[in-house]
Amino acid sequence: MTKINKKNVKKSSNTDSNRFWKFLIENWPAKVICILLAVLLYMIGKITTLDKNVLMVPLDVANTGNLTYTNTLPKKIRVSFRGEATEVSLLQEKDFHVFIDTTPYVTEGSYKVPVQILLSETAAMIEPLEIKLSPESIQLDLDRKITDLKPVRINTSGKCAKGFKVESLRVEPELVQISGNSLQVDGMEYLETNVINLEGKKNSFTQKTKILNLNPQLAVTGNTDFTVNVNIIPIIEEKKIEISELYYLGLTTSLVVEKNDEKYSVTISGNQNELENFNFSPRSVYLDCSDIFKTGEYELPLNVILPEQFELKKIEPVNVKIKVIKAPSEKTNDKNVNDDTDVDAEQEKVEESAPESDTKKSRRNG
């Protein structure tokens, strides 16, 4: 059995410990510098593997107190962030909620308010993630908040179809409740709805809409749903139509109306589209000559046949003077006309020579 010399073991252990401490102490400044350089090189290597990105994130204002701001605020805040390239490349605007909170401020005045940020669950899990905001704080001029009712005006765009127009616009409700600083609320005359498109419309319609609020210092605090009623009607116009020739209704074929140079006009009203290409047919403007049986001068009212979609506004002239003459006969009928005249003459001679009682009978029969 081998015997261990405890004295020698203890002596050897002390020697190793002395050597270790001697190693640490010997040229220790150089060794410390080497360690620091190693750490620095590690950090540099780590930093060089990180990727930097920048997003412009909308600024939100948490304004739940009795005060509100009156000055103009930046619409977006510059958010710079650094992290592992594979991770930060996935971050988007929605992963950052940038805001300022005016709730802690209870008196009117000017304050320097810090910009705060909340991360989405995705962004919060990235490690490491360095974030810097620019600017980091914003100057706010705070004033008392008031609430008031303002008229709602309907905002439209486009034109109705040809021949149609908007007769009336109506919005329900007619007032909207808004809140904001006293300067802005008092200076606001009305608020507009979102755009109501009228392009190519021919019929009346109803549309749901909301208020178009472009002022970030004002908030719609009342009803947010509005109904717009648009009443569209045809455009009614008047048209004056010149007439050169009339139709003589019921005039016997043995008579004609002597031509003249008089002009006639008829003014009618109706839908713009239907009226545009309308014109009278040849027999639509006429004189009723059914009671004329002999030549002479007559004055008759001018008549018009008009489709039911139009309205008669004016006739010029109202009454027309005409001269009725015998219709010219053809040459082939001239002999017959003369023969008839001779027969009539002979008949008259016979009647003159006949007894009186016979003559009266003939006229009655005739």
Side-chain angles (χ1 to χ4, degrees):
M1 182 176 182
T2 306
K3 292 183 179 181
I4 299 175
N5 190 336
K6 294 182 178 180
K7 185 178 180 180
N8 292 336
V9 171
K10 184 176 182 181
K11 184 178 179 180
S12 174
S13 176
N14 291 336
T15 302
D16 292 340
S17 177
N18 291 335
R19 288 178 181 176
F20 175 75
W21 284 108
K22 184 179 180 180
F23 172 77
L24 290 178
I25 295 172
E26 186 179 5
N27 297 324
W28 68 267
K31 293 177 181 178
V32 170
I33 292 174
C34 289
I35 293 173
L36 293 176
L37 286 176
V39 172
L40 180 62
L41 289 175
Y42 172 80
M43 296 299 297
I44 292 175
K46 192 68 175 177
I47 291 175
T48 56
T49 61
L50 299 180
D51 191 23
K52 182 179 179 181
N53 203 351
V54 176
L55 290 174
M56 298 301 294
V57 180
L59 175 65
D60 189 19
V61 180
N63 188 6
T64 58
N66 295 322
L67 300 177
T68 185
Y69 61 96
T70 60
N71 56 315
T72 303
L73 303 183
K75 294 183 179 181
K76 293 188 176 183
I77 297 295
R78 180 186 175 93
V79 179
S80 304
F81 51 95
R82 184 193 297 272
E84 294 289 346
T86 56
E87 294 180 324
V88 298
S89 62
L90 301 177
L91 295 180
Q92 302 176 24
E93 180 183 301
K94 65 180 181 180
D95 293 311
F96 304 96
H97 178 213
V98 179
F99 66 98
I100 54 175
D101 187 6
T102 65
T103 306
Y105 307 93
V106 295
T107 58
E108 301 173 19
S110 183
Y111 301 91
K112 193 172 185 179
V113 181
V115 179
Q116 304 180 53
I117 187 169
L118 289 177
L119 303 180
S120 68
E121 185 177 349
T122 300
M125 293 178 63
I126 296 178
E127 184 65 36
L129 182 63
E130 301 174 8
I131 299 176
K132 184 178 180 181
L133 303 179
S134 180
E136 295 181 345
S137 61
I138 294 177
Q139 191 73 26
L140 280 186
D141 297 329
L142 297 179
D143 189 13
R144 62 188 180 89
K145 183 192 297 184
I146 64 172
T147 299
D148 199 0
L149 293 174
K150 297 295 180 178
V152 177
R153 193 170 80 171
I154 301 172
N155 184 16
T156 63
S157 68
K159 294 182 179 180
C160 295
K162 182 182 178 183
F164 295 86
K165 67 177 182 179
V166 175
E167 182 185 40
S168 63
L169 291 169
R170 186 164 49 90
V171 60
E172 296 177 354
E174 298 179 348
L175 298 175
V176 58
Q177 180 177 290
I178 60 173
S179 297
N181 66 77
S182 57
L183 182 65
Q184 292 286 342
V185 173
D186 292 339
M188 182 66 65
E189 295 182 7
Y190 57 84
L191 270 77
E192 291 187 334
T193 65
N194 289 330
V195 176
I196 306 297
N197 186 19
L198 302 177
E199 191 65 35
K201 300 291 186 182
K202 296 181 180 180
N203 301 310
S204 301
F205 64 95
T206 299
Q207 181 175 327
K208 297 287 186 181
T209 187
K210 292 185 179 296
I211 292 297
L212 178 63
N213 183 18
L214 300 179
N215 190 340
Q217 298 182 23
L218 293 177
V220 178
T221 54
N223 181 53
T224 58
D225 295 321
F226 294 81
T227 302
V228 174
N229 297 293
V230 183
N231 187 26
I232 297 177
I233 61 172
I235 296 176
I236 303 299
E237 290 185 347
E238 290 189 359
K239 181 178 182 180
K240 185 177 182 180
I241 303 175
E242 301 292 338
I243 309 295
S244 58
E245 294 186 2
L246 302 178
Y247 175 64
Y248 304 103
L249 178 67
L251 187 63
T252 179
T253 56
S254 63
L255 300 174
V256 294
V257 176
E258 188 176 66
K259 289 187 176 181
N260 57 59
D261 296 330
E262 190 171 359
K263 299 296 183 183
Y264 317 95
S265 68
V266 178
T267 303
I268 61 176
S269 67
N271 183 289
Q272 183 186 64
N273 293 339
E274 296 176 344
L275 201 61
E276 185 175 9
N277 298 318
F278 174 78
N279 212 334
F280 287 107
S281 61
R283 297 189 177 189
S284 295
V285 183
Y286 67 94
L287 297 176
D288 187 357
C289 303
S290 57
D291 292 334
I292 298 177
F293 300 103
K294 62 180 180 179
T295 60
E297 294 185 354
Y298 299 88
E299 184 172 348
L300 300 173
L302 190 60
N303 299 295
V304 175
I305 299 176
L306 196 63
E308 61 180 8
Q309 67 266 32
F310 300 122
E311 180 183 354
L312 180 64
K313 305 299 289 186
K314 189 177 182 181
I315 298 178
E316 293 181 310
V318 176
N319 296 315
V320 178
K321 292 181 179 180
I322 60 172
K323 184 177 182 180
V324 178
I325 59 175
K326 285 186 177 182
S329 58
E330 298 181 0
K331 291 182 179 181
T332 55
N333 294 330
D334 287 346
K335 186 176 182 304
N336 294 334
V337 173
N338 293 333
D339 291 342
D340 292 340
T341 304
D342 294 338
V343 170
D344 291 340
E346 288 294 328
Q347 181 66 31
E348 289 179 359
K349 290 180 180 180
V350 171
E351 290 179 353
E352 288 176 357
S353 60
E356 183 178 355
S357 59
D358 293 338
T359 301
K360 290 182 178 179
K361 183 178 180 181
S362 174
R363 286 179 180 174
R364 284 197 302 269
N365 295 335

